[in-house]
Amino acid sequence: AEHQRADGSWSFDLTLAPCEGQCRHSRKPVGDTQTPATAATGMALLAFLGAGYTSEVGPYQDQVSRGLYYLRSVAVETQFGYDWQQGGSMYGHGIALMAMSEALGMTKREDRYDSDLYHYVNYGAQFTSAAQHKSGSWGYTPGSPGDTTISGWQILSLVGARKAGIQVRSDLFWRAKEFLMSVRQRPDYRFGYRSPEAEPTTTAIALVLLMYFGQKPGHTLFDESVD
């Protein structure tokens, strides 16, 4: 909360935060790769939302409201929907949309919801759908071949949007599952980044996504990977 900037955003580069870089763990840009404020803001908001704090509930209502307002204000309207890449990559878009989707779902009460927030999540999800590569993955730029990590953020943001009542394209999830299976190191349920060369982190992401796709406990090889 103390690192939120005046415009409601956050940055991983703490020299741009209120502490002016005096705190530890600041992340400077590596080369030309700038992590966009949309990603940092989405990540910060997910921490508040995960703790049960929303724009309506808890001691951080102002911080959450300002963060969501920032994401609405920087959304770029395109022919495919709202884009939160902010000159960075689909990481920024996916993390921002996930925060917006979770906020919508947590503040929705039967037929009552923030229509403005619903509008942004709906058109943000449309942009994500249009950005999916034919392999079922998502890459750093819309429509490019992707990997497990970037795809993970897009899928979870769409899962949240769907739970909040947003319609998503019917073939989107099974195509994403096909991509995951293409990077599976068979016969085990271990997964790689862009190939079946398995790693613990990409395996963890893939296992979580498969659970959202309907995978249940009881499959020996799947359970062994979770263990």
Side-chain angles (χ1 to χ4, degrees):
E2 293 177 357
H3 282 82
Q4 189 174 29
R5 300 191 289 184
D7 62 359
S9 70
W10 280 266
S11 174
F12 289 126
D13 181 357
L14 297 186
T15 61
L16 305 176
C19 75
E20 297 182 341
Q22 297 303 303
C23 295
R24 296 181 302 141
H25 308 306
S26 180
R27 178 175 178 174
K28 300 284 181 63
V30 179
D32 295 328
T33 303
Q34 175 69 52
T35 304
T38 48
T41 302
M43 191 77 79
L45 287 171
L46 286 169
F48 290 109
L49 296 168
Y53 305 135
T54 70
S55 57
E56 300 175 352
V57 176
Y60 298 105
Q61 295 177 44
D62 180 60
Q63 284 84 357
V64 175
S65 294
R66 289 168 55 217
L68 292 172
Y69 179 81
Y70 170 78
L71 290 179
R72 287 196 291 256
S73 71
V74 298
V76 177
E77 190 171 359
T78 75
Q79 62 176 317
F80 301 109
Y82 284 123
D83 172 12
W84 281 287
Q85 293 179 88
Q86 206 178 45
S89 69
M90 284 297 290
Y91 272 119
H93 177 79
I95 297 171
L97 178 60
M98 184 174 176
M100 298 281 277
S101 297
E102 293 297 319
L104 176 63
M106 291 177 69
T107 56
K108 190 174 182 181
R109 301 289 182 272
E110 296 179 354
D111 294 331
R112 183 179 68 82
Y113 55 86
D114 183 329
S115 58
D116 189 47
L117 187 56
Y118 183 95
H119 171 78
Y120 279 91
V121 173
N122 184 31
Y123 284 97
Q126 287 187 25
F127 184 88
T128 305
S129 297
Q132 188 180 30
H133 184 256
K134 62 183 180 181
S135 66
S137 66
W138 284 265
Y140 282 89
T141 57
S144 64
D147 58 65
T148 305
T149 57
I150 297 180
S151 297
W153 283 108
Q154 315 312 317
I155 294 165
L156 289 178
S157 70
L158 292 173
V159 166
R162 187 172 65 174
K163 286 175 64 179
I166 303 295
Q167 297 293 318
V168 298
R169 208 178 65 234
S170 59
D171 67 331
L172 192 145
F173 289 113
W174 67 256
R175 286 177 60 201
K177 185 175 181 180
E178 281 191 339
F179 164 71
L180 287 181
M181 290 306 174
S182 75
V183 297
R184 174 185 169 190
Q185 186 172 302
R186 299 175 183 273
D188 301 324
Y189 274 77
R190 298 173 63 228
F191 299 81
Y193 180 65
R194 285 181 172 169
S195 70
E197 189 176 342
E199 301 174 14
T201 49
T202 47
T203 294
I205 294 167
L207 292 175
V208 169
L209 297 179
L210 287 175
M211 291 177 193
Y212 279 107
F213 291 152
Q215 178 73 47
K216 292 179 172 57
H219 189 297
T220 304
L221 292 176
F222 181 84
D223 291 352
E224 284 178 359
S225 285
V226 173
D227 290 340

